[in-house]
Amino acid sequence: MKLLIKNGRVVDPRNGIDETLDILISNGKILSVDKKISVSKEVETFDAGGLIVAPGFIDLHCHLREPGYERKETIESGLNAALYGGFTAVCCMANTNPVNDNAGITNYIIEKAKKVSKVKVYPVGALSKGQKGEELANYFEMKQAGVWAVSDDGNPVMNSALMRHALEYAGSLGLLVVDHPEDKYLSEGGAMNEGEVSTKLGLRGIPSEAELIQVRRDTALARLTNQRIHIAHISSKYSVESIRVARKRKIAVTADVTPHHFSLTEEEVKTFDTNYKMNPPLRTEDDIKALIEGLNDGTIDCIATDHAPHAYEEKMVEFDKAPNGIIGFQTAVPLAIEKLVLNDKISLKRMVDAFSSSPARIIGLKNKGNLSIGSDADVTIFSLKKETFLRKEDIKSLSKNSPFIGKKIKGAVMAVVIDGNLFKLKEK
Amino acid sequence: MKLGKHLLGIEGLSKEEINLILDTAEKMREVTERPIKKVPALRGKLIVNLFFEPSTRTRSSFEIAEKRLSADTLNFSTGTSSVLKGETLLDTVLNIERMQPDAYVMRHSSPGSCSFITKYVKGAVINAGDGSHEHPTQALLDALTIRQKKGSFEKLNVLICGDITYSRVARSNIHLLKTMGANVTISGPATMMPQGIEKMGVKVETNFEKALSGKDVVMMLRLQLERQEKALFPSLKEYYLTYGLTEERIRLCDSRCLVMHPGPINRGVEISSEVADSQSSVILDQVENGVAIRMAVLYLLLGGGENETSN
């Protein structure tokens, strides 16, 4: 099985490539990347003229909801949405029911994913049993089953000793700790960013400091234990500054930001639309500026979706009673294109890196996130010119909780290749 | 001039709109002084009083206002409704909507809940308090009371004291008083002063004595006793010592200062009995004006004709 992707602008940050080239794929691997590759007529060919051809995009942070919350999303629907969003691999969080804190659930997720989709799944296991923040989960058996990182995500670890031991124990097994930085006492009852807007609306606020305090604590614990840590979905300028300082001090910290945190501000909450409720909350223009600077200078390594499906009736409630989060697979790439690349805030190369080579490096995948000869033939092909106009019926997730429905965003994912299999998603 | 379709808050109302409501309320006061305190203005209109939170003053005063305008009313409160059986706010409203009400008067613990239901109902929605967000008719009845006693709002120095963070009364009053040209200071323990409140145009003075100095109007807010558990203040005794409005402290204000309180009052917590019952206190006038204000709002929103206030 061969596939030729021709005439595309190939952007491969790992190999320093940005030029119009052809890519020949054979048996699920990259066979060659060169100018004008000629093949026999029988070889399937995709004309990527006018499009960007990048290493397959990898989402470090999403919620697939299965097992347990199949009303919100299933592994099948979630991975289909990921595919349409241009992702060839995703990392799903452990807050399923039961929680992914053992090899049985990890196996279930991986096996189910293989059956229903070509999109690869790299599950993140629970940091503590039941994500209760009390005892360490069984890391070794989860690692054997295929987990690459551990996290209690939305149940932030308030016990500093537990976090220290998680770093030590996970580190000794080669597992990464993914940190959702939030001081639960400071954020208690909060429904949005704390400040002028929350004060006016009478909604309880979550100060940026609730995030900053845990970023500081956990980078300090990473130094104490001499282990790596990944900080998820940072939302505030203070966190960016703090991570920048930690990196200067040679602490092994990486970080990601979501598209909604660099695209939207707390002002949106004035509508009381629950699709603007997320945790961490949307913050201010100043924060967006700092987040984009952080992405640009590499303080923030990746863009991750934090795709968080919730059923219609769960979001159709009073703002303070609604669950946190929005779906994100199908809007992530266009938002990055419109808000970052076309606005000249970051380069196309940096954007591609933030979606592919950086997440691959953090997970530890050598054959993904690049288009080197012999690497896995995972490719994301997108347009900087076409628009994405997301209607409800275009959403592949079971849940439709997105504030971007009915809005036009510049940039569109056109096709995806996974293990050499071509998926054409949009007509040129 | 007419009001918008709903009354969701004071934010966004113009000076003219506020004056229209206050002027209409004065006319409504005349109605309530007649031997037969009833006009046919809203005959045949159905008004639903949706109270998801306990209320005495606001609820009874809306009900009286509705009755005096001859509207039909349906009272709905959480204690007796299917909310107890787990029905969502939206489903509750969609069901009531099929009974064709002309207006909803709603109180709910969630900020924005009144604005949320406007998308699903045909009639007018009147916010009777949504969480810590707004309580517009309270601010309007406070304004009517102030205007009756002081004549105008221009350059009036008003102090609002108490738990500003959780107070919808404070927010609506700040919007209203600023729009009408008054100077507003807020006071209370720093734990109860929300971030960024100065951006609403108020001065923050946590020293209560300094805050009282020379004020024309002092509005004391009810202290929610459960706030103590959240470590916002150490004890009721200490609260009274630091922020209780006593006779000595009232002397720091202007000699003709008005003392106001949205009720229910905690005697000996935020206000002493002597002050609450003193000549300066207009707390019961506020209650009385509540009916007139609510009559005015209902009348203006439900589009009664000009002459229908006469018998």
Side-chain angles (χ1 to χ4, degrees), chain A residues 98-254:
Chain A
V99 167
N100 182 15
D101 63 358
N102 63 75
I105 304 294
T106 309
N107 276 325
Y108 172 83
I109 294 168
I110 290 173
E111 291 308 315
K112 184 75 186 277
K114 275 184 195 157
K115 263 185 226 142
V116 300
S117 179
K118 292 279 181 198
V119 176
K120 297 282 179 302
V121 172
Y122 296 95
V124 175
L127 182 146
S128 67
K129 287 193 184 98
Q131 295 192 313
K132 290 197 173 109
E134 290 159 7
E135 299 168 61
L136 296 179
N138 291 311
Y139 294 177
F140 185 69
E141 64 164 61
M142 286 196 291
K143 184 183 160 75
Q144 282 191 311
V147 150
W148 65 278
V150 293
S151 179
D152 276 357
D153 194 34
N155 299 317
V157 179
M158 287 303 290
N159 180 335
S160 306
L162 180 73
M163 183 53 108
R164 173 194 181 159
H165 295 140
L167 283 161
E168 288 166 338
Y169 196 82
S172 69
L173 295 173
L175 291 169
L176 181 68
V177 170
V178 174
D179 181 24
H180 165 122
E182 177 186 347
D183 182 314
K184 283 200 285 188
Y185 294 109
L186 270 180
S187 64
E188 195 192 341
M192 66 172 299
N193 182 45
E194 181 172 335
E196 190 190 336
V197 181
S198 68
T199 289
K200 213 171 209 181
L201 299 180
L203 285 165
R204 298 285 80 75
I206 302 174
S208 291
E209 284 73 7
E211 180 174 293
L212 173 66
I213 285 168
Q214 295 301 57
V215 167
R216 290 236 175 109
R217 182 197 72 173
D218 295 335
T219 49
L221 290 174
R223 179 168 58 186
L224 173 67
T225 58
N226 198 26
Q227 295 296 345
R228 296 160 65 206
I229 192 162
H230 179 79
I231 299 182
H233 48 54
I234 61 170
S235 65
S236 99
K237 60 178 176 184
Y238 303 130
S239 304
V240 178
E241 284 164 15
S242 181
I243 292 167
R244 193 173 281 134
V245 170
R247 286 202 159 187
K248 272 193 192 133
R249 293 181 184 155
K250 307 290 179 210
I251 296 170
V253 53
T254 52

Side-chain angles (χ1 to χ4, degrees), chain B residues 46-308:
Chain B
L46 174 61
I47 301 174
V48 178
N49 298 314
L50 268 176
F51 278 70
F52 295 94
E53 264 193 341
S55 160
T56 313
R57 252 155 304 269
T58 305
R59 189 182 163 152
S60 38
S61 126
F62 264 111
E63 219 180 311
I64 294 165
E66 289 153 9
K67 292 194 157 94
R68 294 207 167 146
L69 293 170
S70 306
D72 298 322
T73 63
L74 172 70
N75 288 321
F76 180 101
S77 64
T78 21
T80 54
S81 73
S82 47
V83 172
L84 285 180
K85 298 174 189 163
E87 191 173 57
T88 64
L89 170 61
L90 181 56
D91 280 327
T92 302
V93 166
L94 289 176
N95 277 275
I96 295 173
E97 180 65 6
R98 284 304 177 98
M99 299 167 198
Q100 322 287 345
D102 299 283
Y104 293 82
V105 173
M106 184 162 109
R107 166 166 294 187
H108 194 287
S109 60
S110 295
S113 48
C114 294
S115 119
F116 170 65
I117 74 161
T118 57
K119 291 171 207 138
Y120 305 95
V121 303
K122 286 195 215 81
V125 177
I126 297 159
N127 182 357
D130 61 333
S132 313
H133 180 219
E134 283 233 40
H135 190 357
T137 55
Q138 177 71 43
L140 287 162
L141 71 89
D142 291 344
L144 185 64
T145 313
I146 294 172
R147 200 175 75 168
Q148 285 162 357
K149 306 286 176 189
K150 296 284 182 188
S152 98
F153 300 92
E154 225 35 70
K155 302 276 181 292
L156 211 58
N157 293 308
V158 183
L159 173 67
I160 307 175
C161 178
D163 185 358
I164 308 292
T165 303
Y166 285 87
S167 177
R168 52 189 170 218
V169 176
R171 282 174 182 75
S172 289
N173 264 306
I174 291 168
H175 287 304
L176 188 143
L177 292 164
K178 292 304 297 178
T179 304
M180 300 309 281
N183 303 315
V184 183
T185 305
I186 59 167
S187 188
T191 49
M192 296 177 175
M193 299 295 111
Q195 288 278 323
I197 187 80
E198 325 77 49
K199 300 268 172 60
M200 288 175 78
V202 302
K203 196 181 151 208
V204 181
E205 175 53 73
T206 52
N207 181 316
F208 192 38
E209 273 88 14
K210 278 192 198 161
L212 285 166
S213 168
K215 290 293 176 295
D216 302 302
V217 177
V218 178
M219 286 184 186
M220 298 304 291
L221 299 174
R222 175 181 165 75
L223 184 73
Q224 302 285 330
L225 304 180
E226 62 271 20
R227 302 279 178 259
Q228 191 177 330
E229 292 158 27
K230 301 245 174 199
L232 298 183
F233 64 94
S235 67
L236 292 181
K237 185 181 159 197
E238 186 152 318
Y239 189 85
Y240 186 66
L241 285 174
T242 42
Y243 294 98
L245 188 61
T246 57
E247 283 183 296
E248 288 118 63
R249 284 187 172 135
I250 201 77
R251 285 188 207 115
L252 300 166
C253 304
D254 182 84
S255 57
R256 288 162 303 154
C257 177
L258 302 180
V259 173
M260 304 179 77
H261 193 299
I265 61 175
N266 293 311
R267 289 172 186 262
V269 178
E270 69 265 358
I271 190 165
S272 76
S273 276
E274 293 78 15
V275 174
D277 302 332
S278 70
Q279 288 293 313
S280 317
S281 169
V282 293
I283 296 172
L284 296 176
D285 299 294
Q286 291 173 266
V287 178
E288 194 182 327
N289 280 328
V291 174
I293 281 292
R294 280 146 191 152
M295 285 174 79
V297 166
L298 289 166
Y299 175 77
L300 290 167
L301 290 182
L302 296 184
E306 195 56 43
N307 298 321
E308 291 178 37

